[in-house]
């Protein structure tokens, strides 16, 4: 499958070069798309430099910080237009190990529509997170399962691969959630459209450098979103 990984970035100058190289090394022939919101630290410029020697790197630079959800959607649309068959997403901060990519892609190839790199499929595989952050993330997954019926153990993780034919069935212009909510919304829509979903166990490690972009509004968004999803008629998803 022609495969690409979408990595949204905002001020990831400390990670960008290493993460791109690690991804390109982990999977032969894989492409990488960086969706950068014109980071003041020069992340886009660094990517441009790397693009001069490597055709597998793609870049979308947006005019300013517009949030994670819209960054993914812009990236997904680009990948679909370019004819990629497997479209993955991951963070730039090494919380997601590029070495897990082959396993996720292989699972997708084994006839799944969405493969989720899951922290909670075999116990709790999270390293270096403060307890309150873990409780928040684990709790969000339980809450989502109860409200929506979605049978996924890690509903908020951002390390996953979609089959392009599945992604095409989702109206990306109708997605308006951003942080955790975005991941929940995509999982829910794949499930409701009859997509086959697999959780592959991964170990998640807290960002090793750079600054967190987590904030409270992301949590409130997710709390209300799951109820909205539950009561949205299937044909409007
Ligand atoms: N393009 C774009 N990327 C973003 C935005 N916010 C966050 N990102 C990127 O999205 C990925 C996930 O964001 P993180 O800040 O790592 O969020 P998190 O993993 O929940 O929290 P920490 O790891 O604690 O920072 C990273 O690669 C960020 O650089 C945004 O508004 N626009
Ligand atoms: Mg992170």
């Amino acid at each position: 499958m022609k495969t690409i990984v979408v990595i949204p970035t905002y001020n990831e100058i400390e990670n960008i070069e290493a993460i791109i190289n690690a991804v390109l090394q982990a999977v032969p022939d894989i492409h990488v798309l960086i969706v950068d919101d014109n980071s003041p630290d020069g992340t886009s410029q660094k990517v441009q430099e790397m693009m001069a020697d490597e055709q597998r790197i793609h870049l979308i630079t947006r005019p300013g910080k517009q949030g994670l959800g819209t960054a993914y959607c812009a990236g997904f649309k680009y990948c679909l237009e370019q004819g990629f068959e497997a479209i993955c997403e991951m963070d730039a901060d090494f919380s997601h190990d590029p070495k897990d990519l082959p396993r996720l892609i292989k699972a997708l190839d084994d006839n799944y529509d969405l493969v989720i790199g899951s922290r909670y499929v075999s116990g709790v595989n999270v390293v270096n997170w403060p307890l309150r952050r873990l409780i928040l993330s684990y709790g969000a997954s339980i809450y989502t399962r109860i409200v929506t019926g979605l049978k996924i153990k890690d509903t908020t993780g951002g390390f996953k691969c979609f089959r392009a034919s599945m992604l095409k069935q989702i109206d990306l212009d109708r997605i308006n959630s951003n942080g955790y909510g975005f991941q929940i919304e995509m999982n829910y829509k794949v499930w409701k459209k009859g997509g086959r979903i697999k959780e592959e166990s991964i170990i998640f490690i807290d960002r090793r450098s750079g600054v967190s972009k987590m904030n409270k509004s992301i949590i409130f968004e997710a709390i209300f979103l799951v109820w909205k999803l539950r009561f949205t008629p299937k044909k409007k998803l």
Side-chain angles (χ1 to χ4, degrees):
M1 283 196 292
K2 201 179 157 202
T3 305
I4 189 162
V5 182
V6 179
I7 306 180
T9 55
Y10 192 73
N11 284 346
E12 297 288 359
I13 195 70
E14 294 172 42
N15 295 309
I16 193 67
E17 187 172 14
I19 193 77
I20 291 176
N21 285 331
V23 169
L24 293 178
Q25 245 172 36
V27 191
D29 302 328
I30 200 164
H31 287 241
V32 183
L33 167 63
I34 304 300
V35 184
D36 182 62
D37 281 357
N38 203 9
S39 301
D41 70 357
T43 302
S44 277
Q45 287 78 348
K46 183 76 221 173
V47 177
Q48 272 162 3
E49 276 170 34
M50 295 178 76
M51 286 168 80
D53 310 312
E54 178 53 80
Q55 297 202 334
R56 291 187 290 156
I57 306 173
H58 309 244
L59 172 67
I60 297 174
T61 304
R62 305 195 300 171
K65 190 163 175 4
Q66 292 169 49
L68 204 46
T70 58
Y72 282 125
C73 288
F76 291 163
K77 283 180 190 167
Y78 173 93
C79 299
L80 290 173
E81 278 161 19
Q82 300 279 318
F84 285 96
E85 296 157 293
I87 300 167
C88 304
E89 50 162 88
M90 68 188 288
D91 293 355
D93 58 5
F94 283 90
S95 285
H96 304 140
D97 186 349
K99 292 199 192 77
D100 289 331
L101 274 169
R103 204 159 39 93
L104 265 56
I105 296 162
K106 165 84 174 47
L108 196 74
D109 216 5
D110 288 346
N111 229 3
Y112 284 96
D113 299 301
L114 167 60
V115 176
I116 300 172
S118 177
R119 296 163 286 191
Y120 310 131
V121 81
S122 54
V124 173
N125 293 340
V126 173
V127 179
N128 277 349
W129 249 10
L131 186 62
R132 61 187 158 73
R133 187 101 194 248
L134 178 63
I135 291 170
L136 185 67
S137 163
Y138 200 80
S141 284
I142 294 174
Y143 175 75
T144 303
R145 284 209 296 277
I146 292 170
V147 177
T148 65
L150 180 66
K151 286 176 197 60
I152 293 175
K153 289 204 163 150
D154 187 347
T155 52
T156 60
F159 193 14
K160 44 205 214 188
C161 295
F162 295 90
R163 189 176 283 277
S165 54
M166 183 75 240
L167 211 46
K168 274 186 201 149
Q169 292 176 46
I170 293 171
D171 185 351
L172 296 170
D173 293 322
R174 274 202 178 152
I175 307 267
N176 47 31
S177 52
N178 247 315
Y180 286 160
F182 175 80
Q183 307 300 351
I184 295 171
E185 186 166 356
M186 292 299 289
N187 295 343
Y188 183 81
K189 290 187 173 178
V190 168
W191 176 55
K192 279 288 167 183
K193 287 179 188 292
R196 290 150 301 183
I197 303 177
K198 167 113 196 264
E199 284 186 270
E200 273 284 322
S201 185
I202 57 146
I203 296 175
F204 177 97
I205 301 169
D206 194 18
R207 66 160 56 241
R208 63 181 190 194
S209 49
V211 186
S212 175
K213 286 109 207 163
M214 255 296 281
N215 62 54
K216 283 212 179 73
S217 65
I218 286 172
I219 301 165
F220 286 114
E221 176 192 71
I223 290 172
F224 297 114
L225 171 81
V226 287
W227 289 99
K228 191 174 138 209
L229 289 174
R230 178 177 167 169
F231 291 111
T232 304
K234 200 173 164 188
K235 60 178 189 297
K236 290 213 164 149
L237 283 174

